[in-house]
């Protein structure tokens, strides 16, 4: 059984991104910046923004946290996005979700210039993904692909079963797998006999948010298991896959923590660099 170590994948990408940012700074005099917009004081969002800033700075990318108060109006937020869209130093805009309920999230997201939408959430980038055009892909599905690539795991012709159909993980993941010529089944809370569906999978990708949902007996011997889930159980972070049990059957498996989550933030930075490369031929 091979452990698919997300920390190694993140380190590999981190080194490459740091080199690219250095080239941009030295050869073009561009000092690129990532803007992270946080609304209110939702603890996970504030923590994630701070950790994102640290990761960005660790690869030499400037990061600015734009903190807005909980009661900020939609118009005020739109103005902030407009300012960031127009700021030539800003190459990526990351909006911490969820926004307060009083705000129409998709309206704010869609105001982000699609060339700075490094989390791939605008309608324009969703359309790009579904039509196979160049654009930004949400960071978590992209992290899954980065892990597969790092370990040279091909999806071509494989039966991939994705559990979860959210807009940010399951659906874009399905699209990425299709684009790699997998035969894709997407499961959800109304799927009949999840176990039987999983048992025929060459690759299982779990993105549900239910600890231990995927057990060893659901896994075809030798299958690849990618665990996207993040759950807190008795003070510990665990995935959607019952790891010990699953590791006895899987051919390769991601741990939680240290799997997909370790790569996700790096994919945002990868997208910032891709955005620079699209506007300039230096990289
Ligand atoms: P979400 O929006 O809550 O979606 C969960 C999905 O799981 C839904 O499609 C739901 O089906 C499905 N589901 C729920 N119970 C199920 C069951 N018993 N059997 C089969 N499917 C079931 O969650 P999300 O935002 O996609 O996140 C999923 C997990 O990934 C969470 O644990 C989250 O914390 C984690 N996550 C990790 C990262 C990372 O970087 N590693 C990033 C983002 C999210 P219905 O559509 O029918 O309701």
């Amino acid at each position: 059984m091979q452990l698919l170590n997300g920390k190694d994948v993140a380190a590999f990408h981190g080194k490459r991104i740091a080199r690219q940012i250095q080239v941009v700074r030295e050869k073009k005099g561009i000092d690129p910046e990532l803007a992270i917009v946080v609304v209110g004081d939702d603890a996970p969002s504030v923590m994630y923004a701070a950790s994102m800033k640290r990761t960005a700075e660790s690869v030499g990318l400037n990061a600015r946290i734009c903190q807005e108060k909980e009661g900020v109006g939609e118009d005020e937020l739109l103005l902030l996005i407009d300012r960031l869209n127009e700021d030539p130093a800003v190459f990526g805009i990351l909006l911490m979700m969820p926004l307060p309920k009083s705000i129409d999230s998709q309206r704010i997201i869609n105001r982000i210039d699609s060339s700075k939408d490094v989390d791939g959430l605008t309608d324009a980038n969703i359309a790009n993904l579904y039509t196979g055009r160049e654009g930004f892909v949400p960071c978590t599905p992209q992290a899954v692909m980065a892990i597969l690539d790092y370990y040279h795991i091909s999806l071509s012709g494989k039966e991939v079963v994705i559990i979860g159909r959210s807009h940010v993980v399951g659906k874009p993941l399905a699209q990425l797998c299709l684009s790699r010529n997998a035969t894709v089944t997407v499961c959800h809370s109304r799927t009949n006999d999840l176990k039987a569906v999983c048992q025929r999978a060459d690759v299982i990708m779990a993105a549900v948010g239910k600890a231990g949902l995927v057990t060893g007996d659901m896994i075809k011997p030798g299958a690849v298991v990618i665990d996207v889930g993040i759950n807190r159980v008795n003070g510990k972070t665990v995935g959607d896959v019952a790891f010990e049990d699953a590791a006895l059957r899987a051919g390769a498996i991601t741990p939680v923590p240290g799997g997909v989550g370790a790569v996700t933030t790096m994919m945002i930075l990868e997208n910032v660099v891709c955005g620079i490369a699209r506007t300039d031929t230096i990289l």
Side-chain angles (χ1 to χ4, degrees):
M1 192 279 299
Q2 182 174 30
L3 190 71
L4 306 175
N5 188 337
K7 287 182 185 163
D8 289 347
V9 182
F12 168 78
H13 283 273
K15 276 193 201 128
R16 205 163 45 88
I17 294 165
R19 271 199 306 275
Q20 289 172 317
I21 288 175
Q22 201 180 353
V23 168
V24 165
R25 190 168 282 128
E26 284 173 3
K27 301 238 166 86
K28 292 301 263 188
I30 298 173
D31 208 6
E33 194 169 309
L34 170 69
I36 306 164
V37 179
V38 185
V39 181
D41 43 19
D42 170 59
S45 294
V46 172
M47 275 168 58
Y48 182 50
S51 130
M52 188 73 235
K53 185 175 191 303
R54 278 195 303 276
T55 311
E57 288 169 351
S58 75
V59 297
L61 178 70
N62 296 330
R64 177 197 320 180
I65 295 181
C66 307
Q67 175 76 56
E68 291 292 326
K69 55 188 184 308
E70 179 80 23
V72 67
E74 243 176 74
D75 289 345
E76 226 177 305
L77 257 187
L78 291 171
L79 272 177
L80 169 65
I81 301 292
D82 288 345
R83 278 202 302 277
L84 296 172
N85 282 339
E86 283 156 21
D87 188 334
V90 172
F91 281 84
I93 302 171
L94 185 63
L95 191 58
M96 290 290 123
M97 303 297 281
L99 294 179
K101 285 198 171 63
S102 57
I103 288 175
D104 177 350
S105 302
Q106 204 54 33
R107 184 167 174 235
I108 308 296
I109 287 169
N110 279 329
R111 192 69 158 238
I112 299 173
D113 185 325
S114 61
S115 69
K116 297 189 179 189
D117 168 31
V118 285
D119 207 8
L121 297 178
T122 56
D123 290 350
N125 276 317
I126 293 170
N128 286 333
L129 173 63
Y130 280 74
T131 52
R133 286 193 296 258
E134 188 178 76
F136 290 122
V137 174
C139 59
T140 305
Q142 203 182 329
V144 172
M145 295 301 134
I147 292 173
L148 296 175
D149 288 341
Y150 183 83
Y151 287 99
H152 305 290
I153 297 170
S154 164
L155 295 182
S156 186
K158 303 272 174 62
E159 282 251 18
V160 175
V161 168
I162 297 167
I163 318 173
R165 57 175 166 179
S166 71
H167 296 306
V168 286
V169 189
K171 283 179 187 165
L173 197 48
Q175 207 54 41
L176 289 175
C177 292
L178 265 182
S179 72
R180 289 178 176 218
N181 302 315
T183 301
V184 184
T185 304
V186 182
C187 300
H188 43 79
S189 64
R190 314 287 173 86
T191 297
N192 284 330
D193 205 350
L194 183 65
K195 181 174 168 179
V197 179
C198 287
Q199 278 173 338
R200 62 169 199 251
D202 300 308
V203 181
I204 297 179
M205 299 176 178
V208 177
K210 284 202 162 61
L213 178 79
V214 179
T215 47
D217 58 350
M218 295 165 79
I219 297 167
K220 181 162 91 174
V224 174
V225 179
I226 306 287
D227 191 352
V228 181
I230 299 176
N231 309 288
R232 292 292 288 174
V233 175
N234 300 329
K236 283 177 69 179
T237 301
V238 298
D240 290 342
V241 177
F243 184 85
E244 307 290 330
D245 189 22
L248 297 173
R249 303 259 291 197
I253 187 167
T254 57
V256 177
V260 178
V263 187
T264 301
T265 46
M266 208 50 90
M267 292 300 103
I268 293 282
L269 307 182
E270 175 97 11
N271 282 347
V272 174
V273 168
C274 282
I276 299 170
R278 280 180 203 146
T279 58
D280 202 298
T281 49
I282 190 149
L283 294 176

